[in-house]
Amino acid sequence: MPQTKLDELSDQQKVKFYQKGTFTVGNRLVDPDKRDVQASQDRSNAITSGHRACQGCGEALGARFALDAAMRAADSKVIAVNATGCLEVFSTPYPETSWQLPWMHSLFGNAPAVATGVQAAMRAKGREDVRAIAQGGDGGTTDIGFGCLSGMFERNDDVLYICYDNEAYMNTGVQRSSATPPTARTATTPAVGDAPGNVFGTGKNVPLIALAHNIPYVATASVSNLHDLEAKVQKAMSLRGARYLHIFVPCPLGWGSAAEDTIKVARLASECGLFPLWEGELGVVTGSDPIRKKVPVEDYLKTQKRFAHLFKPERDEERLAALQRMADHNIERFDLLREDKEPAI
Amino acid sequence: MLKQIEGSRAVAEAVALCRPEVICAYPITPQTHIVEACGEFVKTGQLQNCEYVNVESEFAALSVAIGASAAGARTYTATASQGLLFMAEAVYNASGLGLPIVMTLGNRAIGAPINIWNDHSDAMSMRDAGWIMLFAETNQEALDLHIQAFRLAEQLSCPIMVCMDGFILTHAYERLEIPDQAAVDAFLPPFVPRQALDPADPYSIGAMVGPEAFTEVRYLAHDKQLQALEVIPEIHQSFKEQFGRESGGLFHTYQVEGAATVVVTMGSLAGTLKDAVDELAQEGPQVGVISLSCYRPFPRTELRHALEHARRVIVVEKAVAPGAGGVVSMDLRMALQGVDCYVKTVIAGLGGRPVTSPSLQSMLRRALKGELADLHFLDLNRGMVDRELARQRRGIATGPVAENLLKDAATHGAD
């Protein structure tokens, strides 16, 4: 492709890749080969406009970027299997559908197994060029679909599973899932009593559990860093076997955050350390996205009404400190404050 | 080819002859030998172009089958008992999506108390799930029904459960006729799905349907079952022409013509019943036997026609609906509305209790004398039941019933 003036400008300015998604540098200032799939007019629009997601839905955004990137990587030969949940409901109210790729919804807890079936059928037919993707929310992934997910991993079935994590059962009205953070208010962990909101359990880090299956690829991603998200989808699609991508997708409705703040909230989650961005292969963490400007967890928590009880009527110092310790633990575990500020990815 | 072969292995051979493309396997007694044999066929290359997936649960087994079938592959799995219940959600899903999966059900009781032996409780629990349900009387029929099932399922785009009595059939060795590949290929055309997940022609499958169309979707599921009532006899006929054997159809009749008393049953019990009525005929009137090979759809009109001259109909069934009675009896009473006869229910063979010819004969003698209760439990140990009821009347915290009964049996023997 011939260099345009804008490309030359881009070269001159040496735009840092990490600026993408941080200060919203337009695609036009980025090298053509680094422009995201969404910048391309021939993107597949796997999930097209007109669906019924809420304003500011992180999941709709994440799904569009992830699937379009997967479609490009697989020459549009992708079959998607969806767990029951928001993404399924808002995209396919009968008789309408937003999906421009072959798409199937079976049950809440079986998307990984259904995708295994799709992949097995394709293999039996000698159509291994057709790739299977399964996707679901955190409830469908970390709770009810967990058995099927682990089975799919353990067999190393050629499926990319994408979890859109908005940290609760949003489709049924914001109930707690095993991905709900401690102290968060949900419909089943109300902000009342001595310890309002969700309990401090041990946590259930499904990306690390996925990694423990020694599958070819595991990554976390966020809608605050869409270029990174696309790169991880691309990487996942370049490999065969079981792959897992866990995408952080704020839910304005369930979290009580402003619809226009979805990206900001997602960015704060990573910058404070509560949602680290990392990737791993075959059981080993191979890279992480260092925090450039560390913020205290409360900068993140304050953007959401689900944590309002931590600050009003008085500050809950003890539990704020506990949440900060969780973030600090992540920072230490993935070495997120290391000197090289370039992402290792 | 004639072979001395175990029922399970014969079914696996039949399935392999149908050239499935995906088989999902999860072990549960007594179907385990079927999927073991299927796995062996795939590994040895006897069955080619087939993916064999060892899954982590029955729920996953049927879910993998759902995905494979939706992607256009001929798909098979097998289950039993608790396994069927564990996959219940997917059972309804497969039929709701109209996926022609064939699944063997090695019929077995459901716990608690845990019990691995044969009855029909598992099948009855899923009778309204929208699957076509076929019951085999013999191992030859079990084998043949699988070959018919793939054709029927794919013609109607509807999943089929082929039920065969656990242990009594699955583990029995018999001499069976195993068809050759060419004959099965001639009988069973390649699978052409009504809908398939295909990047060249993308469909959305499994959309949410609200009140505006849900009734119609369900009506069509009912209508599909009614269509099956016409297609099953056609396939039965076509199978007979191809293989020269009677297998399947809606039901089998034995000495029903002119019989005032007819016993209706399903599965392997029919063989014992035929022996029992023959022996009984030496001392009294001939009693007829009908064994249903098709339970869903329920062949209401056809049964009514077959039973229009009967005055006593006795349904011997291997499942009980606590608080209601017999499930097949209820279906049959609906079928016989307006026919001048009564329908009695006999519950027999629960949890693997042997159903013997002498027990059946003694029950039938009472029936012929008009002494049979509307709901009769064959060979019920009344003493054991009464002693437990007495214990329960004495206090509330009387302990677990199953353990009490086992202690009772040890103390009192089989009185």
Side-chain angles (χ1 to χ4, degrees):
Chain A
M1 189 186 277
Q3 288 258 310
T4 65
K5 283 204 166 154
L6 285 172
D7 293 329
E8 286 165 22
L9 188 64
S10 164
D11 285 339
Q12 286 160 14
Q13 292 188 334
K14 293 198 185 342
V15 175
K16 292 282 190 192
F17 177 60
Y18 65 71
Q19 285 187 338
K20 275 292 296 159
T22 306
F23 302 107
T24 322
V25 173
N27 268 295
R28 61 194 171 83
L29 295 182
V30 179
D31 285 351
D33 64 341
K34 285 187 175 158
R35 289 178 192 173
D36 61 31
V37 177
Q38 289 300 315
S40 164
Q41 292 217 349
D42 62 7
R43 66 175 188 252
S44 55
N45 280 323
I47 174 168
T48 195
S49 58
H51 58 70
R52 300 181 184 183
C54 304
Q55 270 192 345
C57 175
E59 186 174 37
L61 178 66
R64 184 158 61 85
F65 271 74
L67 287 174
D68 281 359
M71 290 281 273
R72 174 176 283 187
D75 194 20
S76 296
K77 290 173 195 159
V78 174
I79 293 173
V81 175
N82 218 120
T84 309
C86 280
L87 182 59
E88 170 259 324
V89 169
F90 75 61
S91 63
T92 56
Y94 177 87
E96 296 152 11
T97 180
S98 297
W99 300 101
Q100 306 212 76
L101 78 174
W103 177 93
M104 178 180 192
H105 160 246
S106 172
L107 295 168
F108 198 2
N110 72 354
V114 173
T116 290
V118 168
Q119 174 262 345
M122 290 302 140
R123 207 157 65 177
K125 291 174 184 298
R127 289 294 312 271
E128 288 180 85
D129 54 324
V130 179
R131 312 295 301 275
I133 291 181
Q135 51 184 357
D138 50 290
T141 306
T142 72
D143 285 346
I144 196 169
F146 189 65
C148 286
L149 185 68
S150 178
M152 185 274 280
F153 287 162
E154 169 273 321
R155 292 185 301 268
N156 201 21
D157 294 332
D158 188 20
V159 172
L160 168 62
Y161 190 96
I162 304 175
C163 170
Y164 303 103
D165 181 6
N166 55 22
E167 301 191 327
Y169 290 90
M170 299 314 183
N171 185 43
T172 45
V174 198
Q175 295 85 17
R176 176 202 188 269
S177 80
S178 59
T180 302
T183 76
R185 177 205 66 193
T186 69
T188 49
T189 55
V192 294
D194 294 341
N198 191 27
V199 293
F200 275 88
T202 57
K204 185 172 182 178
N205 193 324
V206 173
L208 284 175
I209 296 171
L211 192 73
H213 286 76
N214 299 327
I215 57 176
Y217 188 68
V218 176
T220 64
S222 171
V223 289
S224 67
N225 196 342
L226 291 163
H227 214 126
D228 173 67
L229 189 160
E230 281 191 350
K232 284 168 173 168
V233 171
Q234 211 164 10
K235 167 95 184 180
M237 294 300 288
S238 73
L239 300 166
R240 292 279 176 170
R243 290 141 293 141
Y244 181 72
L245 186 59
H246 191 104
I247 306 178
F248 191 77
V249 291
C251 169
L253 181 81
W255 294 9
S257 56
E260 68 269 27
D261 282 349
T262 293
I263 304 298
K264 181 178 141 194
V265 170
R267 186 181 307 125
L268 287 169
S270 293
E271 296 287 274
C272 75
L274 278 178
F275 191 84
L277 299 179
W278 58 272
E279 63 182 347
E281 293 174 49
L282 304 169
V284 179
V285 175
T286 52
S288 61
D289 196 4
I291 292 171
R292 290 188 297 283
K293 199 177 78 180
K294 193 196 170 205
V295 296
V297 287
E298 62 182 80
D299 285 14
Y300 164 69
L301 302 172
K302 275 178 176 163
T303 59
Q304 305 156 60
K305 290 198 183 102
R306 64 175 174 158
F307 297 114
H309 51 276
L310 293 175
F311 304 99
K312 277 190 240 173
E314 59 210 34
R315 285 173 60 88
D316 187 341
E317 297 295 356
E318 198 181 322
R319 296 203 299 161
L320 280 168
L323 288 166
Q324 185 63 55
R325 281 197 297 278
M326 283 172 58
D328 293 343
H329 177 65
N330 285 336
I331 289 168
E332 193 184 340
R333 178 181 235 163
F334 296 101
D335 194 17
L336 298 179
L337 288 178
R338 60 181 182 268
E339 281 307 306
D340 68 305
K341 299 297 186 192
E342 289 290 339
I345 296 164
Chain B
M1 182 177 65
L2 280 171
K3 248 191 195 177
Q4 182 74 14
I5 190 168
E6 190 201 32
S8 291
R9 196 163 179 97
V11 165
E13 296 236 11
V15 167
L17 287 168
C18 295
R19 302 186 188 277
E21 294 165 291
V22 176
I23 295 175
C24 325
Y26 188 80
I28 182 165
T29 307
Q31 65 82 23
T32 314
H33 291 180
I34 302 175
V35 290
E36 283 173 2
C38 288
E40 183 191 318
F41 297 156
V42 172
K43 264 233 139 104
T44 58
Q46 178 180 337
L47 175 53
Q48 300 205 332
N49 299 322
C50 179
E51 291 293 314
Y52 183 84
V53 189
N54 277 295
V55 290
E56 71 283 354
S57 75
E58 289 93 347
F59 176 65
L62 193 52
S63 297
V64 170
I66 285 169
S69 186
R74 181 172 286 166
T75 307
Y76 172 80
T77 188
T79 191
S81 182
Q82 312 294 136
L84 181 68
L85 266 62
F86 196 67
M87 64 168 65
E89 195 188 7
V91 172
Y92 275 77
N93 193 250
S95 58
L97 295 171
L99 300 173
I101 297 160
V102 172
M103 177 166 76
T104 309
L105 186 64
N107 296 110
R108 169 185 146 182
I110 288 168
I114 186 167
N115 170 302
I116 62 161
W117 292 280
N118 167 247
D119 71 26
H120 290 169
S121 307
D122 52 3
M124 291 299 108
S125 76
M126 289 296 133
R127 67 183 189 274
D128 300 324
W131 287 52
I132 291 170
M133 296 174 75
L134 308 177
F135 277 79
E137 189 178 317
T138 63
N139 274 343
Q140 185 68 60
E141 188 168 44
L143 185 161
D144 295 343
L145 280 180
H146 281 84
I147 297 166
Q148 296 186 23
F150 280 104
R151 180 159 144 184
L152 177 61
E154 288 163 14
Q155 190 170 334
L156 292 172
S157 204
C158 183
I160 298 187
M161 241 178 258
V162 182
C163 301
M164 61 191 295
D165 284 321
F167 298 107
I168 299 169
L169 293 183
T170 56
H171 286 53
Y173 279 76
E174 282 189 274
R175 198 174 67 150
L176 301 179
E177 175 68 37
I178 313 273
D180 63 39
Q181 186 66 62
V184 176
D185 287 345
F187 177 77
L188 179 63
F191 174 34
V192 181
R194 284 196 188 178
Q195 52 175 13
L197 295 164
D198 178 5
D201 186 15
Y203 277 99
S204 291
I205 297 177
M208 182 169 179
V209 175
E212 70 278 18
F214 196 81
T215 305
E216 287 69 24
V217 172
R218 278 289 168 270
Y219 176 82
L220 287 168
H222 175 64
D223 188 71
K224 191 181 276 187
Q225 294 264 333
L226 299 185
Q227 291 172 42
L229 286 174
E230 291 170 17
V231 178
I232 289 168
E234 289 167 18
I235 288 182
H236 170 238
Q237 186 58 33
S238 156
F239 187 88
K240 191 176 161 185
E241 285 160 16
Q242 179 81 40
F243 299 94
R245 270 197 304 283
E246 288 274 359
S247 267
L250 297 175
F251 50 83
H252 307 299
T253 59
Y254 181 75
Q255 310 281 23
V256 170
E257 193 81 13
T261 305
V262 177
V263 188
V264 177
T265 196
M266 299 198 296
S268 63
L269 199 53
T272 319
L273 262 169
K274 286 180 209 167
D275 287 347
V277 299
D278 280 352
E279 283 195 42
L280 208 62
Q282 293 168 11
E283 59 186 75
Q286 178 69 49
V287 174
V289 176
I290 287 181
S291 68
L292 295 176
S293 30
C294 172
Y295 174 62
R296 282 288 184 270
F298 196 74
R300 220 190 253 188
T301 313
E302 296 78 2
L303 279 169
R304 183 190 165 86
H305 183 68
L307 289 167
E308 62 190 349
H309 301 299
R311 291 297 161 261
R312 274 189 209 96
V313 176
I314 300 155
V315 185
V316 182
E317 44 188 315
K318 284 186 169 179
V320 61
V327 181
V328 184
S329 313
M330 289 185 242
D331 288 324
L332 200 62
R333 282 190 189 101
M334 287 285 285
L336 296 179
Q337 275 186 92
V339 175
D340 182 21
C341 75
Y342 63 71
V343 178
K344 304 278 189 191
T345 304
V346 175
I347 308 292
L350 298 187
R353 177 162 297 183
V355 184
T356 63
S357 181
S359 286
L360 288 170
Q361 288 178 52
S362 116
M363 176 274 291
L364 287 170
R365 279 190 201 96
R366 289 171 65 187
L368 291 169
K369 283 189 242 163
E371 289 172 0
L372 199 62
D374 286 348
L375 177 61
H376 175 73
F377 284 76
L378 194 77
D379 294 341
L380 179 74
N381 185 333
R382 197 69 233 183
M384 192 187 267
V385 168
D386 287 343
R387 285 188 293 277
E388 174 63 13
L389 288 172
R391 280 190 291 274
Q392 290 178 8
R393 275 194 294 274
R394 285 199 293 274
I396 292 187
T398 51
V401 172
E403 282 72 4
N404 287 349
L405 292 187
L406 290 174
K407 260 187 251 169
D408 184 284
T411 316
H412 291 87
D415 65 340

